[in-house]
């Protein structure tokens, strides 16, 4: 069996395969945020609907995702966030608001509910950036790729987990995602799909987990047994050392998955966990089911599985594999309905349906992929945040209050100046050090402002995407929308007013940031 040292070579080969298939991926049907319904345990406990019925917004940066969450009316207001492009540390900042609790360098779904994050268009990739779900419920994550999230080295995110859940999480459906690393713990990576500290009613479906030392766990220690009711179906676990998954306490339902090239141990049921293992295909792997690395036993019920070229260790000490002839040692009752594909067709049907950018296809239970119908009409997307944009207006007249004022902002690009946005000269400009950032106009005493005019430099027209206008004295959002130009809002007395760019389609260049009293 290959060990973690082989992961780097495998990752390169996998990347080459993805590149070769790019044309196919890009031609797949555009994802719909309302496609399909939650399956497995995520369909229980009241069900998982995510942001169904809420506003649909579009985000191309992590900051824009956070802004969409933070500008909801409340932390439970439903919202569907359509994501396209690459989300990384450079475009993921902390955003503050009454309806969110976010952090830089991670997509933070904390103390919120009723949210869908779905990749659309040419796809969404979270590069070295994880998704952290904490004290939240009714969350859907669909059609995204999350890769190379590290817990050590640089940059780090989410404790090294691609998707991590903890602390009173309920009802999460993760569907048609690709979770991958480029090595194991010694290379700085941790789990791909982890749950701990009272996380329940979760389903992982039609997804790919690969090239990692650890697939994922349920429970962080032998005493953390408050988790469970987790379903894993139609997933492909490939080139992984262990934890596919590791279960501590609780119940797991594992059906119609394809496990290939598992190096050390696979489904590790321990510490009283009970796993129902139905119609899976295990291939070219080692010790794919049992209790490992502990003397606290777990249990399993097995039905209809195929074991193809599996190496089984001898039972000794804390190594207790279920094979070479796995038999049930418990009985697990499943409360929801589900259609089982035959194990013999699992490699084919999973290969044709699992992962991001596969058209959200599913199996009909007869080994035939199909695309489910939308569950509800999808509203047209708008740009975050949720406040309506003002009607277009003519350039304002009167005194430009920015002339003679002060200015500052976030890190600026080399060769640019904050003062260039208030000098009345369209040939000079300020740019952020990156694709997003903020610039402010400030005065020594309170000044009334009700309109601003953002004027982009020549050659950069249309680069500014979504924005927020902030009262920098209080942090209040005065206005929001998309693109440069005139922005009106209720007259406000401020000493500093900030224009915050939360997404862009190119390098923003602001030649003039004009402010007016009326």
């Amino acid at each position: 069996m290959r060990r973690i040292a082989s992961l780097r070579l495998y990752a390169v080969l996998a990347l080459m395969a993805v590149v070769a298939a790019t044309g196919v991926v890009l031609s797949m049907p555009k994802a719909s945020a309302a496609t399909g319904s939650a399956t497995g345990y995520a369909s229980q406990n009241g069900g998982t609907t995510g942001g169904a019925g809420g506003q649909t917004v579009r985000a191309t940066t992590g900051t824009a995702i956070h802004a969409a969450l933070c500008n909801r009316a409340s932390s439970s207001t439903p919202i569907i966030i359509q994501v396209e492009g690459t989300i990384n540390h450079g475009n993921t900042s902390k955003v503050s608001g009454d309806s969110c609790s976010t952090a830089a360098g991670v997509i933070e779904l904390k103390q919120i509910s009723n949210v869908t994050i779905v990749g659309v268009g040419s796809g969404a990739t979270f590069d070295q950036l994880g998704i952290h779900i904490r004290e939240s419920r009714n969350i859907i994550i669909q059609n995204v790729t999350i890769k190379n999230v590290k817990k050590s080295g640089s940059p780090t995110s989410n404790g090294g987990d691609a998707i991590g859940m903890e602390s009173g999480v309920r009802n999460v459906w993760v569907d048609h995602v690709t979770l991958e690393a480029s090595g194991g713990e010694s290379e700085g990576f941790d789990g791909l799909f982890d749950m701990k500290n009272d996380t329940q009613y979760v389903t992982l479906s039609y997804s790919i987990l690969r090239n990692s030392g650890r697939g994922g766990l349920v429970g962080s220690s032998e005493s953390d047994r408050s988790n469970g009711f987790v379903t894993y179906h139609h997933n492909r676990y490939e080139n992984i050392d262990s934890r596919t998954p590791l279960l501590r306490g609780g119940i797991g339902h594992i059906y119609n998955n394809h496990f290939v090239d598992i190096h050390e141990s696979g489904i590790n049921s321990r510490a009283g966990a009970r796993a129902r293992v139905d119609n899976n295909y295990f291939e070219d792997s080692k010790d794919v089911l049992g209790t490992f690395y502990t003397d606290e036993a777990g249990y399993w019920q097995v039905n209809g599985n195929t074991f193809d070229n599996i190496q089984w260790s001898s039972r000794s000490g804390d190594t207790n594999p279920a094979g070479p002839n796995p038999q049930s040692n418990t009985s697990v009752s499943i409360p929801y309905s589900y259609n089982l594909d035959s194990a013999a067709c699992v490699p084919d049907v999973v290969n044709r349906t699992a992962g991001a950018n596969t058209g959200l296809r599913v199996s009909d239970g007869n080994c035939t992929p199909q695309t489910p119908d939308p569950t509800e009409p999808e509203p047209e997307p708008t740009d975050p945040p949720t406040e309506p944009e003002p009607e277009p207006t003519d350039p304002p007249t009167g005194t430009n209050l920015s002339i003679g004022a002060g200015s500052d902002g976030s890190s600026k690009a080399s060769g640019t100046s904050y003062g260039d946005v208030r000098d009345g000269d369209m040939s000079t400009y300020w740019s952020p050090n990156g694709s997003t950032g903020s610039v402010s106009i400030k005065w020594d005493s309170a000044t009334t402002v009700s309109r601003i005019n953002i004027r982009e430099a020549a050659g950069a027209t249309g680069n500014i995407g979504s924005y927020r206008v902030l009262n920098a004295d209080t942090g209040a959002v005065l206005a929001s929308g998309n693109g440069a130009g005139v922005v009106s809002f209720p007259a406000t007395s401020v000493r500093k007013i900030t224009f915050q760019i939360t997404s862009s389609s190119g390098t923003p260049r602001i030649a003039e940031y004009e402010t007016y009293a009326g």
Side-chain angles (χ1 to χ4, degrees):
M1 289 292 169
R2 285 177 289 169
R3 299 290 178 173
I4 200 67
S6 67
L7 286 169
R8 293 184 183 277
L9 175 59
Y10 194 101
V12 172
L13 295 175
L15 178 59
M16 291 173 64
V18 171
V19 171
T22 297
V24 175
V25 169
L26 294 182
S27 67
M28 289 297 177
K30 176 181 174 182
S32 166
T35 298
S37 300
T39 56
Y41 275 114
S43 68
Q44 304 296 289
N45 191 43
T48 303
T49 56
Q55 184 185 22
T56 298
V57 302
R58 186 70 62 94
T60 59
T61 69
T63 304
I65 295 173
H66 284 162
L69 296 171
C70 293
N71 283 276
R72 296 183 294 163
S74 73
S75 62
S76 61
T77 301
I79 189 168
I80 298 168
I81 305 173
Q82 296 182 339
V83 183
E84 185 173 13
T86 300
I87 311 300
N88 55 34
H89 284 74
N91 62 32
T92 303
S93 302
K94 173 183 173 68
V95 177
S96 298
D98 293 337
S99 60
C100 67
S101 177
T102 70
V106 62
I107 298 302
E108 189 78 273
L109 308 181
K110 181 179 180 182
Q111 298 170 345
I112 62 174
S113 59
N114 309 326
V115 173
T116 293
I117 294 177
V118 58
V120 297
S122 59
T125 298
F126 295 77
D127 186 11
Q128 302 183 80
L129 195 82
I131 296 179
H132 182 217
I133 305 172
R134 181 184 179 95
E135 300 172 73
S136 296
R137 64 190 305 131
N138 196 24
I139 306 294
I140 295 175
I141 300 172
Q142 192 174 55
N143 199 47
V144 302
T145 295
I146 306 174
K147 64 180 185 179
N148 295 332
V149 182
K150 286 191 169 185
K151 68 174 181 179
S152 61
S154 180
T156 60
S157 179
N158 196 29
D161 296 337
I163 296 178
M165 292 165 265
E166 62 178 312
S167 301
V169 172
R170 294 290 185 275
N171 290 86
V172 176
W173 180 34
V174 178
D175 178 64
H176 284 91
V177 304
T178 298
L179 309 178
E180 58 189 10
S182 297
E185 188 173 21
S186 60
E187 286 83 14
F189 304 98
D190 198 8
L192 296 176
F193 193 70
D194 279 9
M195 289 160 269
K196 58 186 179 181
N197 190 17
D198 192 27
T199 294
Q200 298 180 5
Y201 299 102
V202 176
T203 295
L204 176 66
S205 57
Y206 295 98
S207 296
I208 297 172
L209 296 85
R210 63 188 174 201
N211 305 339
S212 177
R214 297 168 174 173
L217 58 76
V218 179
S220 59
S221 67
E222 306 300 77
S223 61
D224 183 13
R225 304 188 185 192
S226 57
N227 312 278
F229 307 114
V230 182
T231 301
Y232 305 80
H233 74 90
H234 293 92
N235 304 298
R236 179 177 172 94
Y237 287 85
E238 181 176 9
N239 193 38
I240 293 178
D241 275 359
S242 62
R243 302 186 181 181
T244 66
L246 184 157
L247 304 170
R248 291 181 170 111
I251 292 176
H253 187 198
I254 303 166
Y255 73 91
N256 283 155
N257 301 282
H258 185 200
F259 301 85
V260 59
D261 201 14
I262 308 303
H263 307 146
E264 297 174 4
S265 63
I267 301 169
N268 186 354
S269 180
R270 55 197 275 188
R274 295 189 298 139
R276 178 157 175 163
V277 184
D278 295 330
N279 290 33
N280 299 279
Y281 197 101
F282 301 91
E283 181 179 6
D284 297 338
S285 297
K286 177 183 178 182
D287 288 342
V288 293
L289 175 64
T291 295
F292 305 100
Y293 322 121
T294 182
D295 58 3
E296 296 193 37
Y299 309 94
W300 46 85
Q301 179 181 349
V302 290
N303 305 285
N305 300 285
T306 295
F307 299 92
D308 180 2
N309 190 31
I310 303 302
Q311 177 185 340
W312 297 99
S313 299
S314 299
R315 294 192 177 188
S316 176
D318 60 7
T319 299
N320 290 281
N325 182 28
Q327 300 293 314
S328 300
N329 56 19
T330 191
S331 177
V332 181
S333 177
I334 301 300
Y336 50 82
S337 62
Y338 58 102
N339 295 318
L340 277 175
D341 289 307
S342 167
C345 76
V346 161
D348 176 66
V349 75
V350 168
N351 183 58
R352 296 165 65 188
T353 57
N357 303 313
T358 58
L360 297 179
R361 289 176 296 178
V362 299
S363 175
D364 62 357
N366 294 303
C367 303
T368 304
Q370 60 179 354
T371 300
D373 294 327
T375 55
E376 60 180 38
E378 184 179 341
E380 289 297 316
T382 60
D383 290 292
T386 59
E387 292 88 344
E389 297 181 24
E391 292 298 318
T393 57
D394 295 326
T397 57
T399 301
N400 176 9
L401 303 174
S402 298
I403 302 295
S407 54
D408 60 23
S410 61
S411 297
K412 60 183 183 292
S414 176
T416 70
S417 169
Y418 305 120
D420 289 339
V421 302
R422 54 178 175 81
D423 60 1
D425 184 354
M426 285 294 293
S427 67
T428 63
Y429 60 85
W430 164 87
S431 279
N433 184 19
S435 59
T436 60
S438 60
V439 63
S440 303
I441 300 296
K442 57 185 180 180
W443 300 270
D444 291 334
S445 59
T447 300
T448 298
V449 180
S450 65
R451 304 175 84 188
I452 67 172
N453 188 19
I454 301 298
R455 305 177 68 185
E456 293 175 291
T461 302
N463 286 2
I464 293 175
S466 56
Y467 67 80
R468 303 197 306 170
V469 180
L470 306 175
N471 178 343
D473 303 340
T474 65
V477 178
L478 301 177
S480 60
N482 191 70
V486 179
V487 182
S488 299
F489 44 86
T492 306
S493 180
V494 296
R495 295 185 63 178
K496 181 175 176 179
I497 187 169
T498 298
F499 184 77
Q500 181 184 59
I501 302 168
T502 57
S503 73
S504 67
S505 58
T507 302
R509 296 178 182 177
I510 296 180
E512 290 299 301
Y513 178 179
E514 302 172 353
T515 53
Y516 297 88

